[in-house]
mmCIF file of all heavy atoms in Angstrom:
data_model
loop_
_atom_site.group_PDB
_atom_site.id
_atom_site.type_symbol
_atom_site.label_atom_id
_atom_site.label_comp_id
_atom_site.label_asym_id
_atom_site.label_seq_id
_atom_site.Cartn_x
_atom_site.Cartn_y
_atom_site.Cartn_z
ATOM 1 N N MET B 1 -87.606 139.965 24.676
ATOM 2 C CA MET B 1 -87.708 139.620 23.258
ATOM 3 C C MET B 1 -86.694 140.432 22.443
ATOM 4 O O MET B 1 -85.987 139.897 21.578
ATOM 5 C CB MET B 1 -89.127 139.887 22.761
ATOM 6 C CG MET B 1 -89.347 139.570 21.296
ATOM 7 S SD MET B 1 -91.087 139.769 20.810
ATOM 8 C CE MET B 1 -91.297 141.549 20.994
ATOM 9 N N LEU B 2 -86.608 141.725 22.732
ATOM 10 C CA LEU B 2 -85.697 142.592 21.993
ATOM 11 C C LEU B 2 -84.233 142.350 22.376
ATOM 12 O O LEU B 2 -83.335 142.534 21.555
ATOM 13 C CB LEU B 2 -86.064 144.056 22.241
ATOM 14 C CG LEU B 2 -87.451 144.479 21.747
ATOM 15 C CD1 LEU B 2 -87.771 145.894 22.190
ATOM 16 C CD2 LEU B 2 -87.544 144.354 20.227
ATOM 17 N N LYS B 3 -84.020 141.934 23.621
ATOM 18 C CA LYS B 3 -82.649 141.721 24.107
ATOM 19 C C LYS B 3 -82.059 140.411 23.632
ATOM 20 O O LYS B 3 -80.867 140.347 23.283
ATOM 21 C CB LYS B 3 -82.648 141.784 25.637
ATOM 22 C CG LYS B 3 -81.275 141.598 26.269
ATOM 23 C CD LYS B 3 -81.363 141.743 27.781
ATOM 24 C CE LYS B 3 -80.009 141.572 28.437
ATOM 25 N NZ LYS B 3 -80.085 141.731 29.928
ATOM 26 N N TYR B 4 -82.873 139.364 23.607
ATOM 27 C CA TYR B 4 -82.335 138.029 23.366
ATOM 28 C C TYR B 4 -82.722 137.417 22.013
ATOM 29 O O TYR B 4 -82.272 136.319 21.693
ATOM 30 C CB TYR B 4 -82.792 137.079 24.477
ATOM 31 C CG TYR B 4 -82.220 137.419 25.836
ATOM 32 C CD1 TYR B 4 -83.020 137.970 26.835
ATOM 33 C CD2 TYR B 4 -80.874 137.200 26.123
ATOM 34 C CE1 TYR B 4 -82.505 138.277 28.093
ATOM 35 C CE2 TYR B 4 -80.336 137.502 27.368
ATOM 36 C CZ TYR B 4 -81.163 138.049 28.344
ATOM 37 O OH TYR B 4 -80.642 138.355 29.572
ATOM 38 N N PHE B 5 -83.554 138.104 21.231
ATOM 39 C CA PHE B 5 -83.999 137.565 19.953
ATOM 40 C C PHE B 5 -83.790 138.595 18.844
ATOM 41 O O PHE B 5 -83.837 139.800 19.083
ATOM 42 C CB PHE B 5 -85.500 137.189 20.002
ATOM 43 C CG PHE B 5 -85.815 136.014 20.873
ATOM 44 C CD1 PHE B 5 -85.796 136.130 22.262
ATOM 45 C CD2 PHE B 5 -86.128 134.781 20.318
ATOM 46 C CE1 PHE B 5 -86.093 135.049 23.081
ATOM 47 C CE2 PHE B 5 -86.428 133.693 21.127
ATOM 48 C CZ PHE B 5 -86.401 133.830 22.508
ATOM 49 N N THR B 6 -83.568 138.099 17.646
ATOM 50 C CA THR B 6 -83.474 138.975 16.471
ATOM 51 C C THR B 6 -84.581 138.607 15.487
ATOM 52 O O THR B 6 -84.922 137.429 15.326
ATOM 53 C CB THR B 6 -82.112 138.842 15.773
ATOM 54 O OG1 THR B 6 -81.875 137.464 15.436
ATOM 55 C CG2 THR B 6 -80.993 139.339 16.678
ATOM 56 N N LYS B 7 -85.118 139.620 14.839
ATOM 57 C CA LYS B 7 -86.255 139.445 13.937
ATOM 58 C C LYS B 7 -85.792 139.481 12.488
ATOM 59 O O LYS B 7 -84.967 140.306 12.110
ATOM 60 C CB LYS B 7 -87.278 140.552 14.203
ATOM 61 C CG LYS B 7 -88.559 140.448 13.397
ATOM 62 C CD LYS B 7 -89.478 141.610 13.749
ATOM 63 C CE LYS B 7 -90.768 141.565 12.953
ATOM 64 N NZ LYS B 7 -91.651 142.726 13.275
ATOM 65 N N ASP B 8 -86.343 138.562 11.653
ATOM 66 C CA ASP B 8 -86.000 138.587 10.233
ATOM 67 C C ASP B 8 -87.122 139.244 9.434
ATOM 68 O O ASP B 8 -88.115 139.720 9.996
ATOM 69 C CB ASP B 8 -85.690 137.174 9.716
ATOM 70 C CG ASP B 8 -86.895 136.236 9.766
ATOM 71 O OD1 ASP B 8 -88.039 136.709 9.889
ATOM 72 O OD2 ASP B 8 -86.694 135.009 9.675
ATOM 73 N N ASP B 9 -86.957 139.260 8.111
ATOM 74 C CA ASP B 9 -87.930 139.970 7.272
ATOM 75 C C ASP B 9 -89.234 139.205 7.096
ATOM 76 O O ASP B 9 -90.157 139.674 6.432
ATOM 77 C CB ASP B 9 -87.321 140.285 5.907
ATOM 78 C CG ASP B 9 -86.792 139.058 5.186
ATOM 79 O OD1 ASP B 9 -87.007 137.924 5.690
ATOM 80 O OD2 ASP B 9 -86.153 139.211 4.134
ATOM 81 N N GLN B 10 -89.331 138.000 7.694
ATOM 82 C CA GLN B 10 -90.570 137.225 7.653
ATOM 83 C C GLN B 10 -91.252 137.190 9.025
ATOM 84 O O GLN B 10 -92.086 136.333 9.285
ATOM 85 C CB GLN B 10 -90.278 135.796 7.173
ATOM 86 C CG GLN B 10 -89.724 135.741 5.756
ATOM 87 C CD GLN B 10 -89.457 134.311 5.298
ATOM 88 O OE1 GLN B 10 -90.087 133.360 5.766
ATOM 89 N NE2 GLN B 10 -88.515 134.144 4.377
ATOM 90 N N ASP B 11 -90.895 138.144 9.873
ATOM 91 C CA ASP B 11 -91.466 138.246 11.221
ATOM 92 C C ASP B 11 -91.204 137.016 12.072
ATOM 93 O O ASP B 11 -92.013 136.661 12.933
ATOM 94 C CB ASP B 11 -92.979 138.520 11.156
ATOM 95 C CG ASP B 11 -93.290 139.936 10.703
ATOM 96 O OD1 ASP B 11 -92.389 140.793 10.813
ATOM 97 O OD2 ASP B 11 -94.413 140.179 10.252
ATOM 98 N N ARG B 12 -90.069 136.370 11.846
ATOM 99 C CA ARG B 12 -89.646 135.259 12.692
ATOM 100 C C ARG B 12 -88.549 135.756 13.629
ATOM 101 O O ARG B 12 -87.699 136.551 13.224
ATOM 102 C CB ARG B 12 -89.141 134.084 11.852
ATOM 103 C CG ARG B 12 -90.200 133.461 10.956
ATOM 104 C CD ARG B 12 -89.619 132.352 10.115
ATOM 105 N NE ARG B 12 -88.488 132.820 9.317
ATOM 106 C CZ ARG B 12 -87.843 132.087 8.418
ATOM 107 N NH1 ARG B 12 -88.205 130.833 8.216
ATOM 108 N NH2 ARG B 12 -86.831 132.596 7.736
ATOM 109 N N TRP B 13 -88.575 135.236 14.853
ATOM 110 C CA TRP B 13 -87.628 135.668 15.874
ATOM 111 C C TRP B 13 -86.706 134.507 16.234
ATOM 112 O O TRP B 13 -87.165 133.412 16.541
ATOM 113 C CB TRP B 13 -88.378 136.145 17.112
ATOM 114 C CG TRP B 13 -89.178 137.393 16.879
ATOM 115 C CD1 TRP B 13 -90.401 137.479 16.278
ATOM 116 C CD2 TRP B 13 -88.806 138.724 17.232
ATOM 117 N NE1 TRP B 13 -90.821 138.788 16.236
ATOM 118 C CE2 TRP B 13 -89.864 139.574 16.818
ATOM 119 C CE3 TRP B 13 -87.699 139.293 17.867
ATOM 120 C CZ2 TRP B 13 -89.841 140.956 17.010
ATOM 121 C CZ3 TRP B 13 -87.671 140.661 18.072
ATOM 122 C CH2 TRP B 13 -88.725 141.478 17.649
ATOM 123 N N THR B 14 -85.397 134.759 16.228
ATOM 124 C CA THR B 14 -84.402 133.720 16.509
ATOM 125 C C THR B 14 -83.675 134.022 17.808
ATOM 126 O O THR B 14 -83.161 135.136 18.001
ATOM 127 C CB THR B 14 -83.373 133.621 15.369
ATOM 128 O OG1 THR B 14 -84.053 133.349 14.137
ATOM 129 C CG2 THR B 14 -82.363 132.511 15.643
ATOM 130 N N ALA B 15 -83.641 133.031 18.697
ATOM 131 C CA ALA B 15 -82.950 133.192 19.977
ATOM 132 C C ALA B 15 -81.450 133.340 19.752
ATOM 133 O O ALA B 15 -80.872 132.722 18.858
ATOM 134 C CB ALA B 15 -83.227 131.994 20.880
ATOM 135 N N SER B 16 -80.809 134.160 20.566
ATOM 136 C CA SER B 16 -79.384 134.435 20.410
ATOM 137 C C SER B 16 -78.548 133.197 20.725
ATOM 138 O O SER B 16 -78.939 132.337 21.516
ATOM 139 C CB SER B 16 -78.967 135.571 21.347
ATOM 140 O OG SER B 16 -79.013 135.145 22.696
ATOM 141 N N MET B 17 -77.379 133.143 20.117
ATOM 142 C CA MET B 17 -76.450 132.053 20.400
ATOM 143 C C MET B 17 -75.961 132.122 21.838
ATOM 144 O O MET B 17 -75.609 131.094 22.429
ATOM 145 C CB MET B 17 -75.262 132.103 19.446
ATOM 146 C CG MET B 17 -75.595 131.662 18.030
ATOM 147 S SD MET B 17 -76.329 129.987 17.969
ATOM 148 C CE MET B 17 -75.011 129.010 18.701
ATOM 149 N N GLU B 18 -75.953 133.309 22.429
ATOM 150 C CA GLU B 18 -75.548 133.452 23.825
ATOM 151 C C GLU B 18 -76.438 132.618 24.738
ATOM 152 O O GLU B 18 -75.965 132.006 25.709
ATOM 153 C CB GLU B 18 -75.602 134.925 24.238
ATOM 154 C CG GLU B 18 -75.327 135.190 25.708
ATOM 155 C CD GLU B 18 -73.935 134.758 26.149
ATOM 156 O OE1 GLU B 18 -73.026 134.671 25.295
ATOM 157 O OE2 GLU B 18 -73.770 134.479 27.355
ATOM 158 N N LEU B 19 -77.744 132.567 24.419
ATOM 159 C CA LEU B 19 -78.657 131.721 25.186
ATOM 160 C C LEU B 19 -78.506 130.258 24.805
ATOM 161 O O LEU B 19 -78.397 129.371 25.663
ATOM 162 C CB LEU B 19 -80.111 132.141 24.944
ATOM 163 C CG LEU B 19 -80.636 133.420 25.569
ATOM 164 C CD1 LEU B 19 -82.109 133.594 25.215
ATOM 165 C CD2 LEU B 19 -80.446 133.440 27.074
ATOM 166 N N ARG B 20 -78.502 130.003 23.522
ATOM 167 C CA ARG B 20 -78.559 128.629 23.018
ATOM 168 C C ARG B 20 -77.302 127.831 23.339
ATOM 169 O O ARG B 20 -77.339 126.596 23.390
ATOM 170 C CB ARG B 20 -78.837 128.650 21.515
ATOM 171 C CG ARG B 20 -80.250 129.146 21.197
ATOM 172 C CD ARG B 20 -80.386 129.686 19.790
ATOM 173 N NE ARG B 20 -80.072 128.684 18.790
ATOM 174 C CZ ARG B 20 -79.871 128.978 17.499
ATOM 175 N NH1 ARG B 20 -79.934 130.237 17.090
ATOM 176 N NH2 ARG B 20 -79.608 128.017 16.652
ATOM 177 N N ARG B 21 -76.185 128.517 23.584
ATOM 178 C CA ARG B 21 -74.944 127.786 23.889
ATOM 179 C C ARG B 21 -75.017 127.060 25.223
ATOM 180 O O ARG B 21 -74.230 126.145 25.491
ATOM 181 C CB ARG B 21 -73.754 128.751 23.871
ATOM 182 C CG ARG B 21 -73.699 129.709 25.044
ATOM 183 C CD ARG B 21 -72.521 130.662 24.932
ATOM 184 N NE ARG B 21 -72.451 131.594 26.054
ATOM 185 C CZ ARG B 21 -71.834 131.323 27.199
ATOM 186 N NH1 ARG B 21 -71.253 130.147 27.380
ATOM 187 N NH2 ARG B 21 -71.804 132.217 28.166
ATOM 188 N N HIS B 22 -75.965 127.455 26.069
ATOM 189 C CA HIS B 22 -76.118 126.809 27.371
ATOM 190 C C HIS B 22 -77.004 125.562 27.315
ATOM 191 O O HIS B 22 -77.141 124.864 28.316
ATOM 192 C CB HIS B 22 -76.747 127.786 28.370
ATOM 193 C CG HIS B 22 -75.875 128.946 28.734
ATOM 194 N ND1 HIS B 22 -74.792 128.843 29.589
ATOM 195 C CD2 HIS B 22 -75.920 130.249 28.351
ATOM 196 C CE1 HIS B 22 -74.224 130.025 29.729
ATOM 197 N NE2 HIS B 22 -74.891 130.891 28.992
ATOM 198 N N ILE B 23 -77.641 125.319 26.164
ATOM 199 C CA ILE B 23 -78.668 124.276 26.080
ATOM 200 C C ILE B 23 -78.222 123.133 25.167
ATOM 201 O O ILE B 23 -77.769 123.357 24.052
ATOM 202 C CB ILE B 23 -79.999 124.862 25.557
ATOM 203 C CG1 ILE B 23 -80.429 126.058 26.420
ATOM 204 C CG2 ILE B 23 -81.091 123.796 25.545
ATOM 205 C CD1 ILE B 23 -81.611 126.826 25.855
ATOM 206 N N GLU B 24 -78.387 121.925 25.653
ATOM 207 C CA GLU B 24 -78.141 120.720 24.851
ATOM 208 C C GLU B 24 -79.471 120.000 24.658
ATOM 209 O O GLU B 24 -80.202 119.766 25.625
ATOM 210 C CB GLU B 24 -77.146 119.802 25.548
ATOM 211 C CG GLU B 24 -76.892 118.501 24.806
ATOM 212 C CD GLU B 24 -75.998 117.545 25.578
ATOM 213 O OE1 GLU B 24 -75.506 117.922 26.660
ATOM 214 O OE2 GLU B 24 -75.816 116.404 25.100
ATOM 215 N N TYR B 25 -79.800 119.656 23.406
ATOM 216 C CA TYR B 25 -81.071 119.004 23.109
ATOM 217 C C TYR B 25 -80.847 117.524 22.804
ATOM 218 O O TYR B 25 -79.833 117.142 22.214
ATOM 219 C CB TYR B 25 -81.746 119.670 21.906
ATOM 220 C CG TYR B 25 -82.164 121.100 22.162
ATOM 221 C CD1 TYR B 25 -81.321 122.161 21.813
ATOM 222 C CD2 TYR B 25 -83.384 121.401 22.747
ATOM 223 C CE1 TYR B 25 -81.687 123.478 22.056
ATOM 224 C CE2 TYR B 25 -83.766 122.707 22.989
ATOM 225 C CZ TYR B 25 -82.914 123.738 22.648
ATOM 226 O OH TYR B 25 -83.289 125.033 22.891
ATOM 227 N N GLY B 26 -81.815 116.704 23.194
ATOM 228 C CA GLY B 26 -81.709 115.279 22.908
ATOM 229 C C GLY B 26 -83.056 114.590 22.968
ATOM 230 O O GLY B 26 -83.942 114.981 23.726
ATOM 231 N N LYS B 27 -83.207 113.564 22.166
ATOM 232 C CA LYS B 27 -84.441 112.782 22.172
ATOM 233 C C LYS B 27 -84.391 111.785 23.322
ATOM 234 O O LYS B 27 -83.394 111.090 23.505
ATOM 235 C CB LYS B 27 -84.607 112.042 20.842
ATOM 236 C CG LYS B 27 -85.904 111.232 20.756
ATOM 237 C CD LYS B 27 -86.018 110.513 19.411
ATOM 238 C CE LYS B 27 -87.266 109.649 19.369
ATOM 239 N NZ LYS B 27 -87.386 108.903 18.092
ATOM 240 N N LEU B 28 -85.479 111.720 24.094
ATOM 241 C CA LEU B 28 -85.516 110.808 25.223
ATOM 242 C C LEU B 28 -86.952 110.425 25.547
ATOM 243 O O LEU B 28 -87.827 111.283 25.650
ATOM 244 C CB LEU B 28 -84.879 111.449 26.463
ATOM 245 C CG LEU B 28 -84.888 110.591 27.729
ATOM 246 C CD1 LEU B 28 -83.954 109.398 27.572
ATOM 247 C CD2 LEU B 28 -84.485 111.413 28.951
ATOM 248 N N ASN B 29 -87.163 109.123 25.687
ATOM 249 C CA ASN B 29 -88.424 108.598 26.191
ATOM 250 C C ASN B 29 -88.257 108.426 27.695
ATOM 251 O O ASN B 29 -87.368 107.703 28.152
ATOM 252 C CB ASN B 29 -88.739 107.257 25.528
ATOM 253 C CG ASN B 29 -90.116 106.724 25.878
ATOM 254 O OD1 ASN B 29 -90.690 107.064 26.912
ATOM 255 N ND2 ASN B 29 -90.652 105.872 25.029
ATOM 256 N N LEU B 30 -89.086 109.086 28.481
ATOM 257 C CA LEU B 30 -88.943 109.040 29.937
ATOM 258 C C LEU B 30 -89.156 107.646 30.507
ATOM 259 O O LEU B 30 -88.848 107.400 31.674
ATOM 260 C CB LEU B 30 -89.911 110.030 30.593
ATOM 261 C CG LEU B 30 -89.590 111.506 30.364
ATOM 262 C CD1 LEU B 30 -90.685 112.388 30.939
ATOM 263 C CD2 LEU B 30 -88.244 111.872 30.962
ATOM 264 N N ARG B 31 -89.674 106.736 29.705
ATOM 265 C CA ARG B 31 -89.847 105.353 30.160
ATOM 266 C C ARG B 31 -88.576 104.530 29.973
ATOM 267 O O ARG B 31 -88.483 103.403 30.460
ATOM 268 C CB ARG B 31 -91.001 104.695 29.403
ATOM 269 C CG ARG B 31 -92.369 105.235 29.801
ATOM 270 C CD ARG B 31 -93.440 104.791 28.827
ATOM 271 N NE ARG B 31 -93.599 103.344 28.743
ATOM 272 C CZ ARG B 31 -94.358 102.617 29.567
ATOM 273 N NH1 ARG B 31 -95.029 103.221 30.541
ATOM 274 N NH2 ARG B 31 -94.470 101.326 29.422
ATOM 275 N N ASP B 32 -87.590 105.084 29.267
ATOM 276 C CA ASP B 32 -86.334 104.380 29.025
ATOM 277 C C ASP B 32 -85.302 104.728 30.100
ATOM 278 O O ASP B 32 -85.454 105.712 30.829
ATOM 279 C CB ASP B 32 -85.774 104.753 27.652
ATOM 280 C CG ASP B 32 -86.657 104.269 26.513
ATOM 281 O OD1 ASP B 32 -87.465 103.342 26.753
ATOM 282 O OD2 ASP B 32 -86.554 104.824 25.411
ATOM 283 N N LYS B 33 -84.228 103.950 30.149
ATOM 284 C CA LYS B 33 -83.128 104.236 31.053
ATOM 285 C C LYS B 33 -82.467 105.538 30.642
ATOM 286 O O LYS B 33 -82.224 105.776 29.465
ATOM 287 C CB LYS B 33 -82.114 103.082 31.025
ATOM 288 C CG LYS B 33 -80.969 103.235 32.014
ATOM 289 C CD LYS B 33 -80.048 102.030 31.956
ATOM 290 C CE LYS B 33 -78.893 102.199 32.935
ATOM 291 N NZ LYS B 33 -77.966 101.039 32.890
ATOM 292 N N PHE B 34 -82.162 106.404 31.613
ATOM 293 C CA PHE B 34 -81.616 107.714 31.285
ATOM 294 C C PHE B 34 -80.135 107.664 30.908
ATOM 295 O O PHE B 34 -79.733 108.166 29.880
ATOM 296 C CB PHE B 34 -81.811 108.679 32.458
ATOM 297 C CG PHE B 34 -83.261 108.934 32.806
ATOM 298 C CD1 PHE B 34 -83.612 109.420 34.044
ATOM 299 C CD2 PHE B 34 -84.271 108.670 31.893
ATOM 300 C CE1 PHE B 34 -84.939 109.660 34.380
ATOM 301 C CE2 PHE B 34 -85.601 108.894 32.207
ATOM 302 C CZ PHE B 34 -85.937 109.396 33.459
ATOM 303 N N GLY B 35 -79.321 107.108 31.786
ATOM 304 C CA GLY B 35 -77.906 106.984 31.482
ATOM 305 C C GLY B 35 -77.139 108.295 31.482
ATOM 306 O O GLY B 35 -76.178 108.470 30.728
ATOM 307 N N PHE B 36 -77.534 109.271 32.318
ATOM 308 C CA PHE B 36 -76.835 110.546 32.380
ATOM 309 C C PHE B 36 -75.534 110.412 33.163
ATOM 310 O O PHE B 36 -75.415 109.603 34.072
ATOM 311 C CB PHE B 36 -77.700 111.606 33.071
ATOM 312 C CG PHE B 36 -79.005 111.887 32.375
ATOM 313 C CD1 PHE B 36 -80.182 111.987 33.101
ATOM 314 C CD2 PHE B 36 -79.066 112.036 31.004
ATOM 315 C CE1 PHE B 36 -81.386 112.245 32.480
ATOM 316 C CE2 PHE B 36 -80.273 112.289 30.366
ATOM 317 C CZ PHE B 36 -81.428 112.391 31.105
ATOM 318 N N ASN B 37 -74.568 111.258 32.820
ATOM 319 C CA ASN B 37 -73.367 111.390 33.624
ATOM 320 C C ASN B 37 -73.590 112.518 34.625
ATOM 321 O O ASN B 37 -73.857 113.649 34.241
ATOM 322 C CB ASN B 37 -72.153 111.712 32.733
ATOM 323 C CG ASN B 37 -71.738 110.528 31.898
ATOM 324 O OD1 ASN B 37 -71.789 109.388 32.351
ATOM 325 N ND2 ASN B 37 -71.331 110.784 30.661
ATOM 326 N N GLY B 38 -73.456 112.209 35.905
ATOM 327 C CA GLY B 38 -73.656 113.229 36.908
ATOM 328 C C GLY B 38 -75.116 113.434 37.258
ATOM 329 O O GLY B 38 -76.013 112.794 36.702
ATOM 330 N N LEU B 39 -75.350 114.349 38.185
ATOM 331 C CA LEU B 39 -76.683 114.606 38.707
ATOM 332 C C LEU B 39 -77.121 116.030 38.376
ATOM 333 O O LEU B 39 -76.302 116.899 38.095
ATOM 334 C CB LEU B 39 -76.703 114.399 40.221
ATOM 335 C CG LEU B 39 -76.241 113.036 40.729
ATOM 336 C CD1 LEU B 39 -76.177 113.018 42.248
ATOM 337 C CD2 LEU B 39 -77.158 111.931 40.223
ATOM 338 N N PHE B 40 -78.418 116.250 38.440
ATOM 339 C CA PHE B 40 -78.983 117.575 38.182
ATOM 340 C C PHE B 40 -79.360 118.245 39.493
ATOM 341 O O PHE B 40 -79.753 117.591 40.454
ATOM 342 C CB PHE B 40 -80.215 117.462 37.285
ATOM 343 C CG PHE B 40 -79.914 116.935 35.907
ATOM 344 C CD1 PHE B 40 -80.042 115.580 35.624
ATOM 345 C CD2 PHE B 40 -79.481 117.785 34.899
ATOM 346 C CE1 PHE B 40 -79.754 115.086 34.365
ATOM 347 C CE2 PHE B 40 -79.184 117.298 33.644
ATOM 348 C CZ PHE B 40 -79.323 115.957 33.363
ATOM 349 N N HIS B 41 -79.275 119.575 39.496
ATOM 350 C CA HIS B 41 -79.696 120.341 40.673
ATOM 351 C C HIS B 41 -81.197 120.629 40.635
ATOM 352 O O HIS B 41 -81.819 120.792 41.684
ATOM 353 C CB HIS B 41 -78.925 121.664 40.745
ATOM 354 C CG HIS B 41 -77.445 121.480 40.846
ATOM 355 N ND1 HIS B 41 -76.604 121.578 39.757
ATOM 356 C CD2 HIS B 41 -76.659 121.174 41.919
ATOM 357 C CE1 HIS B 41 -75.360 121.366 40.149
ATOM 358 N NE2 HIS B 41 -75.359 121.120 41.453
ATOM 359 N N THR B 42 -81.758 120.696 39.444
ATOM 360 C CA THR B 42 -83.190 120.936 39.284
ATOM 361 C C THR B 42 -83.686 120.190 38.049
ATOM 362 O O THR B 42 -83.010 120.181 37.017
ATOM 363 C CB THR B 42 -83.504 122.437 39.121
ATOM 364 O OG1 THR B 42 -83.124 123.131 40.313
ATOM 365 C CG2 THR B 42 -84.987 122.676 38.872
ATOM 366 N N ILE B 43 -84.841 119.568 38.170
ATOM 367 C CA ILE B 43 -85.480 118.883 37.047
ATOM 368 C C ILE B 43 -86.897 119.407 36.915
ATOM 369 O O ILE B 43 -87.667 119.417 37.879
ATOM 370 C CB ILE B 43 -85.503 117.356 37.249
ATOM 371 C CG1 ILE B 43 -84.076 116.803 37.333
ATOM 372 C CG2 ILE B 43 -86.272 116.671 36.108
ATOM 373 C CD1 ILE B 43 -84.004 115.315 37.654
ATOM 374 N N LEU B 44 -87.239 119.860 35.722
ATOM 375 C CA LEU B 44 -88.606 120.267 35.415
ATOM 376 C C LEU B 44 -89.247 119.176 34.579
ATOM 377 O O LEU B 44 -88.759 118.853 33.484
ATOM 378 C CB LEU B 44 -88.644 121.596 34.656
ATOM 379 C CG LEU B 44 -88.191 122.841 35.431
ATOM 380 C CD1 LEU B 44 -86.685 123.065 35.263
ATOM 381 C CD2 LEU B 44 -88.931 124.086 34.944
ATOM 382 N N CYS B 45 -90.304 118.592 35.094
ATOM 383 C CA CYS B 45 -91.041 117.543 34.386
ATOM 384 C C CYS B 45 -92.522 117.879 34.524
ATOM 385 O O CYS B 45 -93.263 117.230 35.264
ATOM 386 C CB CYS B 45 -90.715 116.177 34.980
ATOM 387 S SG CYS B 45 -91.431 114.781 34.079
ATOM 388 N N ARG B 46 -92.938 118.889 33.810
ATOM 389 C CA ARG B 46 -94.279 119.456 34.007
ATOM 390 C C ARG B 46 -95.290 118.871 33.022
ATOM 391 O O ARG B 46 -95.038 118.781 31.827
ATOM 392 C CB ARG B 46 -94.234 120.983 33.857
ATOM 393 C CG ARG B 46 -93.333 121.640 34.901
ATOM 394 C CD ARG B 46 -93.615 123.114 35.028
ATOM 395 N NE ARG B 46 -93.053 123.890 33.935
ATOM 396 C CZ ARG B 46 -93.377 125.163 33.691
ATOM 397 N NH1 ARG B 46 -94.269 125.777 34.438
ATOM 398 N NH2 ARG B 46 -92.800 125.802 32.697
#
């Protein structure tokens, strides 16, 4: 928490850009066609 997040004056913690630069977010319904380019090495669908 202390290494990867910074705290503001409202006790909110923000993840570092170093972490977030690795992540791409997108809206997806798993019942729809995926249409990804390439394959994944690991998929978490918990």
Side-chain angles (χ1 to χ4, degrees):
M1 180 175 67
L2 297 173
K3 181 177 180 179
Y4 294 108
F5 291 74
T6 55
K7 184 180 179 181
D8 65 17
D9 56 7
Q10 297 181 27
D11 288 340
R12 296 177 304 185
W13 294 80
T14 302
S16 69
M17 287 304 300
E18 175 62 24
L19 286 182
R20 292 158 60 193
R21 72 182 180 87
H22 293 285
I23 306 171
E24 177 185 356
Y25 294 94
K27 182 180 177 182
L28 179 69
N29 187 336
L30 291 174
R31 289 167 61 85
D32 294 340
K33 184 178 179 181
F34 298 160
F36 299 135
N37 289 323
L39 304 174
F40 296 94
H41 300 99
T42 297
I43 298 175
L44 293 90
C45 186
R46 298 198 283 167

